[in-house]
Amino acid sequence: MANNIVLAVLLVAPLLVLVNGQEQKIGDYRGRFEREKCDLYEGRWVYDDSYPLYDSTQCRFIERPFACQRNGRPDKLYLKYRWQPSACNLPRFDGVEFLRRYRNKRIMFVGDSLSLNQWQSLTCMLHAATPHSHYTLQRMGPVRTFIFTEYNVSVMLTWNVFFVDIERKRYGRILKLDKLEDTKTWQGIDVLIFNSWHHWLHTGTKQLWDFIEDGKYIYKDMNRLVAYEKGLKTWARWVDESVDPGKTKIFFQGISPDHLNASHWGKHNGKNCSGERKPMFASPYPRRQHPAEVVLEKVLRSMSKPVQLLNVTGLSLRRKDAHPSVYGVGGHYGMDCSHWCLAGVPDTWNQLLYAHLTTHH
């Protein structure tokens, strides 16, 4: 999977794009889109007064860690930025068209709290498009299901941060890098969006395992990037052996960056994302790929079945302003520079998902 993913945009439905700030039917630009090959992930953040895509107060189901305005964040400029690809325009999200297209189907996010972040974004984007439509929100074990009953569309989330199995033994919890059996909830899903990385780094009380098993050997610990690659390869084998691309589309949410160190964007008197109000409009330094990006893309390139990478790392890296900071779950006693406010950056991730789902490439 190349670092710059190229999308040839071929149109199959009347969509809207923003051209010079004005919405136009995408069909009016059919020739341009069909001629050009556009990297949707290469671009910049631009101010757009029509943003955000929704009023987050319409979505009372957004959980506290992401509800920055409800939690008292006083500024709103961070809500007004739109991702603008360099060579084309990103299709404007059409929630009704999305629901019609996926009538009687199921979409599932699989991963950690950043998957929760993106899942809550998508459910709010769709709810805002059909605010008077009935919905149900269910939870059974690790699976949450948001059903738009008029369309019978299920947007689901299942908590699975490593993909590979964790087994409990009398001497502790074993993370088994070469074993993946708990896939029952993934079976028969029409669209799967996977995400895994941040929990591979956790230590101390946040670490969800006590030992790592790799083949015949058990370790107290190992290089986390090496463990991540081994776990991803096990997941990749499951996809290659078990998924029918004619029935299930597979996506992988790229590595979501944090902004815990302000010196990374040239602010040497700052500590983290606290008080940031604007994006980085240009990177202050040549961007090197995140080590986990390199591993993820290496594994995806090795696969025989198609998996579309949502390559969101670079565009998200510029949004130091869009984290909850003290307006998340911990209030002024906590600092969250890892997750994202809603409305916010995950809405763009879902616009990119929408672009891939609604175009042939």
Side-chain angles (χ1 to χ4, degrees):
M1 182 71 63
N3 179 34
N4 291 323
I5 293 178
V6 176
L7 173 63
V9 185
L10 302 177
L11 304 164
V12 297
L15 304 174
L16 294 175
V17 297
L18 287 175
V19 179
N20 297 325
Q22 301 295 318
E23 287 188 354
Q24 304 284 350
K25 284 186 178 180
I26 203 168
D28 298 339
Y29 296 87
R30 182 183 304 272
R32 176 185 171 191
F33 273 77
E34 290 181 342
R35 285 194 305 270
E36 292 181 356
K37 287 186 177 181
C38 176
D39 182 354
L40 294 178
Y41 301 96
E42 179 63 37
R44 67 193 189 282
W45 291 98
V46 298
Y47 180 85
D48 188 331
D49 196 51
S50 71
Y51 269 50
L53 294 175
Y54 55 86
D55 179 355
S56 60
T57 61
Q58 291 181 277
C59 305
R60 301 303 298 175
F61 49 81
I62 290 180
E63 296 186 11
R64 185 183 171 193
F66 315 135
C68 301
Q69 290 294 307
R70 194 193 313 160
N71 293 338
R73 181 166 176 169
D75 62 304
K76 295 186 178 182
L77 185 61
Y78 72 96
L79 296 168
K80 294 293 186 179
Y81 290 101
R82 168 175 57 82
W83 179 248
Q84 176 60 57
S86 298
C88 62
N89 290 293
L90 190 60
R92 183 82 171 186
F93 185 84
D94 185 335
V96 173
E97 167 63 19
F98 187 107
L99 290 168
R100 287 172 178 163
R101 184 180 292 264
Y102 282 90
R103 186 185 295 273
N104 300 321
K105 295 186 183 298
R106 294 183 296 166
I107 300 160
M108 177 180 281
F109 293 87
V110 182
D112 56 20
S113 55
L114 287 157
S115 294
L116 169 63
N117 218 172
Q118 188 176 2
W119 174 72
Q120 289 230 293
S121 162
L122 182 58
T123 54
C124 191
M125 291 167 78
L126 294 172
H127 173 64
T130 57
H132 303 296
S133 295
H134 182 260
Y135 70 85
T136 62
L137 185 54
Q138 305 170 354
R139 185 167 187 168
M140 294 185 64
V143 181
R144 305 190 204 185
T145 304
F146 197 112
I147 303 173
F148 295 87
T149 52
E150 180 181 343
Y151 300 90
N152 193 31
V153 174
S154 296
V155 184
M156 309 167 74
L157 170 77
T158 184
W159 183 268
N160 190 324
V161 300
F162 301 114
F163 307 152
V164 293
D165 296 347
I166 295 178
E167 291 189 3
R168 293 182 177 273
K169 303 284 188 178
R170 57 180 178 79
Y171 52 86
R173 300 161 298 177
I174 315 299
L175 179 63
K176 301 203 163 196
L177 297 181
D178 58 356
K179 187 176 181 182
L180 200 171
E181 294 185 352
D182 187 18
T183 63
K184 191 180 300 182
T185 57
W186 309 347
Q187 306 291 339
I189 302 296
D190 299 284
V191 179
L192 285 165
I193 305 103
F194 290 94
N195 160 55
S196 181
W197 167 240
H198 284 253
H199 275 264
W200 291 88
L201 299 175
H202 287 179
T203 59
T205 57
K206 291 186 176 181
Q207 184 176 295
L208 300 179
W209 48 267
D210 302 301
F211 300 93
I212 295 177
E213 182 178 290
D214 181 23
K216 298 179 180 179
Y217 301 98
I218 294 180
Y219 303 93
K220 183 65 179 174
D221 206 345
M222 69 163 56
N223 181 296
R224 302 303 179 85
L225 203 60
V226 172
Y228 178 60
E229 182 172 356
K230 289 176 180 287
L232 277 184
K233 285 180 176 178
T234 300
W235 165 83
R237 282 196 299 273
W238 174 81
V239 172
D240 284 342
E241 294 170 2
S242 305
V243 171
D244 179 354
K247 297 180 179 178
T248 301
K249 291 183 174 68
I250 304 284
F251 292 83
F252 206 107
Q253 180 204 95
I255 307 301
S256 177
D258 60 46
H259 290 89
L260 295 167
N261 188 342
S263 68
H264 288 172
W265 57 91
K267 192 173 181 180
H268 298 290
N269 61 340
K271 292 183 178 180
N272 46 45
C273 67
S274 179
E276 295 292 343
R277 296 292 181 262
K278 293 182 179 180
M280 288 180 276
F281 296 104
S283 179
Y285 48 86
R287 188 178 92 80
R288 295 181 179 178
Q289 274 195 293
H290 191 289
E293 277 187 280
V294 176
V295 168
L296 173 59
E297 292 182 15
K298 175 185 173 184
V299 172
L300 295 183
R301 283 194 302 269
S302 73
M303 298 175 65
S304 61
K305 298 288 177 67
V307 177
Q308 176 64 58
L309 174 64
L310 296 176
N311 195 10
V312 299
T313 309
L315 63 91
S316 304
L317 191 62
R318 298 185 183 187
R319 294 306 306 272
K320 57 185 172 59
D321 58 315
H323 296 286
S325 68
V326 297
Y327 302 103
V329 67
H332 287 274
Y333 299 99
M335 177 60 62
D336 186 352
C337 297
S338 298
H339 300 99
W340 305 93
C341 293
L342 295 180
V345 169
D347 305 334
T348 297
W349 302 352
N350 284 319
Q351 283 183 280
L352 291 160
L353 173 66
Y354 176 75
H356 287 292
L357 287 173
T358 56
T359 56
H360 291 303
H361 53 90

